[in-house]
Amino acid sequence: MAHEKIFAGIPMSKCMRDMCKEEDYVFLNGQTKPDKTTGYSMFQDSEWQQQREERLRRRLEREQQEQERQRELEEQQKKKEEEWKFHVSKLASERESLRERLHRLREFRDFQKRVLVQDLGLDPDKPNEKLTQLLMRL
């Protein structure tokens, strides 16, 4: 790009410009004013350096933001896993308490049945409608 600016001031036809290459104008580098070129190139170098530093800074910021985002995602995932484990353990404990309650109720029902059979003087081996109706009322 710099050679285009330098050689743009040289009068020649479009056809000639197309045929000529940067290598053809190497001799012109010695003819330019050293003060103007040096100052221009130093300005260009410092500008290029600033742009490079800016790109590096932006890249580092993006990397930090990405790391922060990854860390937040991991924290959210861990939180969800902990909530899920708590939920599952809560359900398991509820299920276990329901099983225990069901077992106690069945034992009590069996106890009621035995007491009624004894009180009524019925045969415990035979099914009886009267006994069934009494148990349903209780």
Side-chain angles (χ1 to χ4, degrees), residues 1-12 17 21-42 44:
M1 289 289 256
H3 71 279
E4 291 177 1
K5 291 179 182 178
I6 294 173
F7 302 126
I10 299 174
M12 73 173 65
R17 284 191 194 278
K21 303 278 183 204
E22 182 180 356
E23 296 85 31
D24 295 337
Y25 294 103
V26 171
F27 71 95
L28 291 176
N29 281 336
Q31 293 179 357
T32 58
K33 296 179 182 178
D35 295 336
K36 191 175 185 180
T37 310
T38 306
Y40 179 72
S41 67
M42 286 176 51
Q44 222 176 13

Side-chain angles (χ1 to χ4, degrees), residues 11 16 33 36 63 84 93 119 124:
M16 261 324 259
K33 296 179 182 178
K36 191 175 185 180
E63 288 174 359
W84 178 251
S93 68
D119 286 348

Side-chain angles (χ1 to χ4, degrees), residues 9-21:
I10 299 174
M12 73 173 65
S13 67
K14 286 186 178 180
C15 180
M16 261 324 259
R17 284 191 194 278
D18 290 338
M19 292 188 329
C20 296
K21 303 278 183 204

